[in-house]
Every structure is written in structure tokens, then in C-alpha cells.
Amino acid sequence: YALISNIAAGVGTKLPKAGDLCRELSISRRTLDFALGELERDGIIERKHAVGIFVARRPVIDSHLLLLFHPDFFLASGHAPFWRLLIEAARERAAQCEGTFDIHFCRADGGNSSLSPQLRSEILSGEVAGVIGVGLREDLAYFLEENVPFVSLAGWSNHIVGFDDASFMRQAVGQLAARGCEKIGLLSGVMPHRVFDSRASVDTSPRDQFKVALRDLGLGFREEWNINHFELVPENGGAVEKSLQEQGFGAAQQLFVRAPREKWPQGVVIYDELLTQGFWSALSKAGISDDVGREIHLISHANAGSPALLECQERLDRLVYEPQELVSLLFEALEALIAGQNIASLLEAQPKLFER
């Protein structure tokens, strides 16, 4: 028990050296080795040869955890395989716990009252140990922040797990530049069905990070090669009806099918694999897809395990995110909050480059 209290500082903490622990706890080295062996088997500590003894990362045991979706945001994925992969990975992670892991949708208004009375009561009574939210709106997220350990993916929170846009754009633009591209465009989209307060509320970070990546390599930004579909959002707010595939199809027509060859960009960064599906379909229909890899170079976002790019992945470069990594970040952040530890406000998953 004395040793357990000594490691209460939390996950990742390096413990004192074995000799110091023996003196502090007034025990022999043999007794310490036995105790450390028991704690290591229980997953409480990990010993790294020639490095030290550390408090191990381990699942929250005997807890009731929730994965809470806003329904509009789930529809906005356009049936992306990512969400199936995310839920499967979350279930696998939750299976390591001895408690329960439930998946819920809040009601469509998304506000503080959008939880069922029973779920709201469970949170207020402390029966829920922690919540992972996806696409939740600010007033509901604020209620959760006030009453339960809470981390968010793609929504408001004091603790957000997301994708590293800066790293994505640096790698994407750098890869196209390495292929000889000087004239580079960007295709990003607007999530369909998701309700925006106004056109001005649409996230501009992909475009901003893209401009930074171009500038760092001494390349120019051309507005006509930047397609973000912000115009699809009603000026005073509302939802976009066009799917990401439809947005990608239209972008390919604008950049290549209806444009003279001398106006084509040499390379295009595509921010979502579903945009790439539609983009590739338009190029194929117009007989231009054979030019990809020669006159046209593409690099696309992708999710590991997703079949979205099977038709074209051998013809383009991909920056791939692992749903498992994202789930690990979400659970580790939630576990740390439940344990009362301070964590960073933003944790970001990193993409890995797969060349064609």
C-alpha cells in the first residue's frame, strides 16, 4: 500500500530509483522487486530497462463511459467509413475495461436539453465516469464540462482531440513540390447536413494552413485553385445539402474538365477522402484520370482501413490517419481527466505519408 500511494502522482510519472524506493519505504530490494512485479502484472507500472520505472497508462477500470454523438454531425460524414472504424476501435478499447461503454445520440436540437432525462440524471448523479463527445454544440458541451470529465472530437470542449492540419498541409504541399509541382490547388469541403450559424462560422483552418505551407516553400497562392464550397452555406446560417462526393465531383469539373489545359494546376491537395471519391469520378467520366501521375498530381486525406479510395489509391499519394491512434488519444485524455490530472487542451493525431 505504501508503494501504491507513492505512485499516485499519475500516468507517465517516473518513479524514484529502486535504491531510493527501498530507503523511502524501509524495505529490502527483494521485497521491492516482488511488489514491483505484482504491480507490473496488474498493469499499474511498467519497467523499462536502463530507463526507469513509470506509472503505466491503463484503461479506466469499473467505470461507466459514454460516446455521445450529435446526429447532424454523424449524418454530415456522408456515410464515411471513418465513423464505423472509430466506433469499432472505441469498442475494442472499451473491452479492456471492466465497466460499461455506451453509445448515445443526443436529440437533434443539440442543446442543453437534448439529453434524455435518464442520461442527464446519470451524469448529474455521478453514475457516468466520463464522456467522449462528437460534434456537440457549445451549450451541451458546457453542461458536460461542468458535471463530468469530458473530451471532444470535432466539437467544442476545453479538451479537444483532432487532426493535425498544420502537419497535413506541410506534408501534402511538400510532397507535391517534391514531384515538381509549383502550381498547387486545394480542395476542401463543407460537411453536409451540419447546421452552421452563418457562412462566417465555417472553419477556415485548412485554407489558412495551406497558405502557410505554400509560403514556407516560396510558392504562390491562387484563389481560383482554392475550392472550399463556402458559398454552399446560406449567408445567415443553415445546412448544406450537397454530399462531399458531389462537392468533389463539381470541383474536378471546375479545375480540369471545363478549364483549358493551360489553366490547370499541376497538383491538388484534397482534404477528405470522400471529396476524392467524387473528384476521381469526374476525372474518369471526362477521360482525364489517365493524366493523374503525369500532368496532374494528387494527394488526398485517407483513413486507414477505409475502402473509400480503393479505385484510385495506386494513382495518388495519401496522407493516412489511424482511427486507432485517434481513439487512443481520446481514451488516454479521458482517463487522465478522470484521474484528476492536467492535460493539454488540444491533442492531435498525425498523418502518415503513403506514396503511390
Side-chain angles (χ1 to χ4, degrees):
Y1 294 108
L3 182 55
I4 291 174
S5 65
N6 193 80
I7 66 175
V11 169
T13 300
K14 184 176 181 179
L15 301 187
K17 295 179 180 178
D20 294 334
L21 284 172
C22 287
R23 286 190 293 273
E24 179 182 342
L25 302 173
S26 300
I27 58 176
S28 69
R29 182 61 181 265
R30 183 177 178 179
T31 300
L32 178 67
D33 286 342
F34 175 80
L36 291 176
E38 290 293 307
L39 290 171
E40 190 168 29
R41 277 190 291 275
D42 290 341
I44 295 173
I45 65 161
E46 53 185 340
R47 291 185 279 188
K48 300 179 181 179
H49 181 68
V51 177
I53 309 166
F54 297 85
V55 181
R57 292 192 179 276
R58 62 190 189 280
V60 175
I61 302 299
D62 199 20
S63 297
H64 182 193
L65 306 179
L66 300 181
L67 178 60
L68 183 60
F69 281 97
H70 188 283
D72 286 351
F73 192 89
F74 197 81
L75 288 171
S77 68
H79 308 294
F82 171 77
W83 298 108
R84 175 182 58 81
L85 298 170
L86 178 73
I87 291 172
E88 287 176 356
R91 281 177 172 160
E92 288 176 9
R93 180 65 181 253
Q96 302 171 22
C97 303
E98 296 177 6
T100 59
F101 180 75
D102 297 332
I103 298 172
H104 289 265
F105 288 90
C106 62
R107 289 198 292 268
D109 61 25
N112 190 8
S113 62
S114 63
L115 297 177
S116 69
Q118 179 180 347
L119 187 56
R120 184 182 177 87
S121 175
E122 289 176 0
I123 291 171
L124 290 173
S125 67
E127 295 177 50
V128 175
V131 176
I132 295 171
V134 180
L136 304 185
R137 296 181 185 169
E138 187 170 344
D139 51 349
L140 176 54
Y142 182 76
F143 164 76
L144 295 170
E145 286 279 3
E146 289 291 299
N147 293 286
V148 67
F150 169 59
V151 295
S152 176
L153 171 66
W156 187 90
S157 173
N158 287 332
H159 301 97
I160 295 174
V161 172
F163 303 103
D164 190 339
D165 283 342
S167 176
F168 178 92
M169 289 302 173
R170 281 195 305 270
Q171 291 190 65
V173 173
Q175 178 68 5
L176 291 179
R179 293 199 179 278
C181 300
E182 296 182 352
K183 300 183 289 185
I184 300 175
L186 170 67
L187 169 57
S188 56
V190 179
M191 285 291 186
H193 304 294
R194 188 178 182 184
V195 177
F196 294 92
D197 294 333
S198 67
R199 189 177 297 170
S201 67
V202 181
D203 181 19
T204 63
S205 60
R207 169 192 169 108
D208 298 338
Q209 296 292 350
F210 175 68
K211 292 172 76 172
V212 170
L214 288 174
R215 186 189 64 214
D216 289 347
L217 291 177
L219 301 174
F221 174 81
R222 295 275 292 273
E223 192 67 53
E224 63 269 29
W225 293 334
N226 173 61
I227 300 179
N228 51 39
H229 295 103
F230 288 178
E231 73 282 354
L232 297 178
V233 179
E235 185 69 43
N236 297 319
V240 172
E241 297 299 324
K242 278 191 175 181
S243 69
L244 290 174
Q245 291 92 333
E246 290 173 311
Q247 293 175 43
F249 190 96
Q253 290 184 314
Q254 181 178 334
L255 287 175
F256 295 104
V257 177
R258 295 197 296 263
R261 283 184 176 259
E262 62 271 16
K263 298 285 188 180
W264 287 5
Q266 297 166 311
V268 179
V269 177
I270 307 179
Y271 191 63
D272 189 285
E273 62 183 4
L274 298 185
L275 289 168
T276 306
Q277 275 190 329
F279 197 91
W280 186 262
S281 178
L283 295 183
S284 298
K285 187 174 181 179
I288 299 174
S289 58
D290 288 343
D291 291 315
V292 175
R294 298 198 296 265
E295 290 188 57
I296 305 168
H297 298 279
L298 304 178
I299 185 165
S300 172
H301 155 276
N303 293 305
S306 167
L309 300 182
L310 284 179
E311 184 181 356
C312 58
Q313 65 184 19
E314 294 181 359
R315 304 286 297 281
L316 46 80
D317 297 313
R318 292 167 293 141
L319 283 167
V320 179
Y321 287 97
E322 289 277 357
Q324 288 282 4
E325 180 187 359
L326 201 66
V327 167
S328 292
L329 288 173
L330 286 164
F331 272 81
E332 287 171 9
L334 188 60
E335 289 165 7
L337 291 176
I338 291 171
Q341 299 164 18
N342 294 321
I343 63 171
S345 60
L346 178 62
L347 301 169
E348 295 178 310
Q350 303 292 319
K352 297 177 183 177
L353 176 65
F354 287 76
E355 297 185 342
R356 63 171 189 261

